[in-house]
Amino acid sequence: MDDSPTGPTAAPAGADQAAAFFDLDKTIIATSSATAFSRPFMAGGLLTRRSVLRTAYAQFLYLVGGADETQTERLRAQLSRMVTGWDVAQVSSIVAETLHESIDPAVYAEAVALIEEHHEAGHDVVIVSASGSEIVEPIAAVLGADHVIATRMGVSDGRYTGDIDFYAYGENKATAIRELAAARGYDLASSYAYSDSITDVPMLATVGHGFAVNPDRALRRVAAERGWDTLSFNRPVALFSLVRPSGRTVAVAAAVLVAGCALVAWLAWRQRRRTR
């Protein structure tokens, strides 16, 4: 961590609770969560190489174009086109089956330690990600997060319609954080937020303690202007190789594993019934 900023501190007795809001991609994990699952999604017939390239290009235009409303809509439209018709149960099954191999080696040890520090200080931890909830929620559960803010896709008859009910990107992240804070009684002035991307400036500005993690050039400049601390995470490891995972993390990870196995078994049973 750069400059050794002061770590999370517990709120005084009687004060509103603080929370810690973490971006996921390039902040907690050393890759994009969508990219991490691209290979198993391709193996499952959900993605093609062309669709992967189109999404990467839309993301590139978003960043180069200044992250304005037009570029945001272009990125959202590409996401909508890509997932239209996907079977929701198949997506959940692939994530459950490949979570360990896709995500585990890419978790930043520094991020996991920081999550533990926030829990020890009595703070709720919230994962905030533009990726779909079907991907983000299992990852957040393994990390021991308390809540998730993620993109929600429209579903009909078990398939994605292409509609996006909520797009957790840019200003929408800040709006969702404020709504969750109002519902849970969080004191945002005492809360923390962590991200690597210039697109998350609204999220970082929503709390009293914003941190730029491995920031891109634009965010590094804004962080310097606003006095936000900069953190360097550079040790991607397997989550369960860490020396002291908390009881919360181990218990939730076990629950996710059991749930994933149950889901796979149920899908296999349903498939057998269909083929009789």
Side-chain angles (χ1 to χ4, degrees), residues 213-244:
V213 178
N214 298 343
D216 56 34
R217 183 177 300 176
L219 179 58
R220 185 177 292 275
R221 181 174 62 252
V222 172
E225 292 171 354
R226 301 199 182 194
W228 293 337
D229 286 312
T230 299
L231 308 180
S232 295
F233 294 173
N234 52 32
R235 288 199 300 126
V237 297
L239 178 59
F240 293 104
S241 73
L242 298 176
V243 177
R244 294 187 305 163

Side-chain angles (χ1 to χ4, degrees), residues 74-204:
R74 178 178 293 168
L75 189 60
R76 177 158 60 177
Q78 174 57 28
L79 173 63
S80 176
R81 285 193 298 269
M82 183 176 67
V83 305
T84 298
W86 283 14
D87 185 282
V88 178
Q90 183 184 9
V91 171
S92 297
S93 176
I94 290 173
V95 172
E97 290 177 347
T98 64
L99 179 64
H100 179 78
E101 65 185 75
S102 298
I103 295 298
D104 211 22
V107 176
Y108 280 123
E110 297 93 337
V112 175
L114 190 54
I115 288 171
E116 290 301 311
E117 288 182 33
H118 278 291
H119 277 147
E120 289 170 2
H123 303 160
D124 277 2
V125 170
V126 183
I127 306 300
V128 187
S129 175
S131 294
S133 58
E134 290 81 4
I135 291 177
V136 180
E137 288 176 359
I139 298 172
V142 172
L143 291 166
D146 301 281
H147 302 286
V148 166
I149 294 171
T151 294
R152 300 189 302 272
M153 308 299 300
V155 175
S156 178
D157 297 326
R159 293 185 178 274
Y160 295 118
T161 64
D163 295 328
I164 301 179
D165 294 338
F166 174 72
Y167 192 36
Y169 215 100
E171 183 61 42
N172 286 349
K173 283 188 176 182
T175 299
I177 286 172
R178 288 191 290 267
E179 291 175 351
L180 181 63
R184 305 295 302 183
Y186 299 145
D187 176 13
L188 289 179
S190 301
S191 293
Y192 301 74
Y194 304 87
S195 179
D196 70 294
S197 174
I198 186 63
T199 62
D200 282 339
V201 165
M203 167 180 161
L204 297 177

Side-chain angles (χ1 to χ4, degrees), residues 15-35:
D16 288 339
Q17 182 180 3
F21 300 91
F22 285 80
D23 173 53
L24 180 61
D25 297 351
K26 307 294 183 67
T27 301
I28 293 178
I29 60 176
T31 184
S32 158
S33 51
T35 300

Side-chain angles (χ1 to χ4, degrees), residues 69 72 252:
E69 185 175 350
T72 300
V252 174

